[in-house]
Amino acid sequence: MGSLHIPAIGLTAKIVRGTDSAALAKGVGHFTDTSIWNGNVCLATYNRGTNSYFGKIYTLNIGDSITLTTKEGTRTYSVTSVEKVSEDEIAASKN
């Protein structure tokens, strides 16, 4: 589907369709109910263990760049905040 590049943490990874364990074994997963280009792009991966592409994401700083490349083109984003989300917040957002 594309690739994700975050220089500050040395990340270059391919983006694959889906977020199940088979997809995450191949790369950064794309939530299929979100766009890969327009609006919010939602991606998932492990933050520890094998294929822990986001293992160092907490070390990003405001202003660090994130580049998304797809067949539509390339977009570069800047980090605007870095926050830790608790498990309670995740559970509450599902209700």
Side-chain angles (χ1 to χ4, degrees):
M1 294 187 73
S3 64
L4 185 67
H5 183 63
I6 308 176
I9 60 173
L11 173 68
T12 298
K14 66 181 175 177
I15 299 171
V16 299
R17 187 176 318 277
T19 56
D20 61 13
S21 58
L24 297 183
K26 298 175 186 172
V28 174
H30 173 252
F31 285 89
T32 57
D33 58 344
T34 69
S35 172
I36 191 65
W37 190 249
N38 296 313
N40 292 325
V41 176
C42 296
L43 304 172
T45 188
Y46 299 112
N47 63 0
R48 57 189 109 120
T50 305
N51 297 334
S52 60
Y53 297 109
F54 289 173
K56 294 182 182 177
I57 203 164
Y58 69 94
T59 66
L60 290 175
N61 294 303
I62 293 172
D64 286 343
S65 66
I66 299 172
T67 302
L68 171 70
T69 302
T70 72
K71 65 181 180 180
E72 302 292 328
T74 298
R75 289 189 171 156
T76 300
Y77 303 88
S78 292
V79 174
T80 59
S81 69
V82 178
E83 300 175 30
K84 184 175 183 177
V85 179
S86 75
E87 290 181 33
D88 294 338
E89 290 175 89
I90 295 167
S93 70
K94 292 181 180 179
N95 295 329

